[in-house]
Amino acid sequence: MAIALILAAGSGERLGAGRPKALVELAGRPLMQWSVDVLREVAAIERIVIALPPGTPAPVGVTGVDGGAVRSESVRLALAAAGSGDPVLVHDAARPLLSAELAAATIRALEEDESIDAAIAAIPITDTVKRVEDGLVRETLDRRELWAVQTPQVFRRAALERALNVSEEVLAQATDDAWLIERAGGEVLVVQASDENLKVTTPLDLEVAELLLARRAQSPAPTPSVRNLFP
C-alpha cells in the first residue's frame, strides 16, 4: 500500500498572512486540510504523514512531524516517520485543489510501468518562455517540450530513499523531488494533470482557489481528465 507525505512546513511569506501557509483558512478549512481530506479518499493510500512548522498540531488521524529547512529535508523527515509503505506519494499542501482522481492516476502510472522510478503530475506550458540574462533575452525555448511540474509526485520508495541520501547542499537545490531522482539517473514519467491544480503562493492565488472551490460546491463538474501522454 502507498503512503502519502504532505509538505506543509512553508512559512508562506509571499502570501502575507502573518502565519504559516498551512494554517491559512481557505473556504472554511485550513489550507492543509484540503489535501488531507482528498488523499483520505484514495483507496491505495494506507497512511498519511504531514510535515509541519514546528509546534503545529497535525490534523486528526494524521501523523505530524516537524518539517525541515528545505522541502526535500521535510520529505526525508516525513518518510522516516512513515513506517513501511511503497510507493510514496509526495504532495504540497499549497495545492489544495488536488483531486483524488489525479492522485490515484499518478500512483497507477508508476505501478503499471516497472521501468520508471517516479511518476509526476504536470501540464504543458502554454506561454512562450525565454531565457534571460541581465535583462536581455538570450534564447526562446521550444514550449512544445516544456511542462510545468506539479504535485503529487509518486516514487518507488527505494529510489526516493537513495535520491534523498545526499548532502544538505544538494537537498537545498531541489525545487521538486523528481529532480533528485533525475540527478541520480532515474526515469521519471509525466502524467498530464489540470491547470486547476494550482499552487497557492500569493493572495491572488488564494482568491482564485476560493472561487474554484465555490464553483465546485455550487455545480459539481466532472474532474478534468487525467492521462499519461507517453504510454
Side-chain angles (χ1 to χ4, degrees):
M1 297 291 287
I3 53 175
L5 313 180
I6 300 176
L7 306 182
S11 64
E13 289 182 9
R14 285 176 289 180
L15 194 57
R19 51 181 163 165
K21 188 191 297 186
L23 302 180
V24 172
E25 186 172 300
L26 172 63
R29 305 183 209 176
L31 190 74
M32 63 180 173
Q33 190 68 49
W34 289 95
S35 297
V36 170
D37 291 346
V38 167
L39 291 173
R40 281 176 170 155
E41 298 175 15
V42 181
I45 294 175
E46 181 179 35
R47 188 178 307 110
I48 299 173
V49 179
I50 186 165
L52 295 159
T56 303
V60 175
V62 176
T63 300
V65 297
D66 288 349
V70 297
R71 64 163 292 119
S72 290
E73 184 182 357
S74 291
V75 172
R76 190 160 62 182
L77 292 167
L79 184 59
S84 60
D86 192 8
V88 180
L89 180 146
V90 178
H91 183 64
D92 291 338
R95 295 188 184 273
L97 278 82
L98 171 68
S99 70
E101 181 188 29
L102 176 57
T106 311
I107 293 171
R108 189 165 58 248
L110 182 72
E111 293 176 337
E112 292 177 350
D113 189 340
E114 295 182 357
S115 70
I116 63 172
D117 300 289
I120 64 173
I123 57 173
I125 284 178
T126 56
D127 292 327
T128 296
V129 179
K130 297 181 184 290
R131 185 173 62 83
V132 176
E133 293 179 359
D134 300 322
L136 297 174
V137 173
R138 299 304 184 191
E139 182 183 6
T140 298
L141 304 178
D142 185 354
R143 69 184 181 188
R144 293 174 298 179
E145 298 178 349
L146 299 178
W147 289 66
V149 173
Q150 304 177 350
T151 62
Q153 299 185 352
V154 182
F155 305 90
R156 300 197 192 283
R157 183 168 186 149
L160 180 59
E161 289 176 335
R162 287 193 300 270
L164 290 168
N165 187 26
V166 292
S167 69
E168 299 298 325
E169 181 181 1
V170 172
L171 284 184
Q173 296 176 45
T175 56
D176 83 321
D177 306 293
W179 176 76
L180 294 171
I181 298 290
E182 298 159 33
R183 180 181 178 276
E187 294 287 344
V188 179
L189 181 72
V190 166
V191 176
Q192 184 165 351
S194 162
D195 55 5
E196 285 196 6
N197 187 32
L198 60 83
K199 183 177 182 180
V200 173
T201 302
T202 68
L204 177 60
D205 299 328
L206 193 65
E207 289 181 23
V208 172
E210 289 263 12
L211 290 171
L212 290 171
L213 288 168
R215 187 177 71 181
R216 286 185 184 180
Q218 292 171 2
S219 181
T223 304
S225 62
V226 177
R227 58 197 178 102
N228 168 21
L229 295 185
F230 311 100

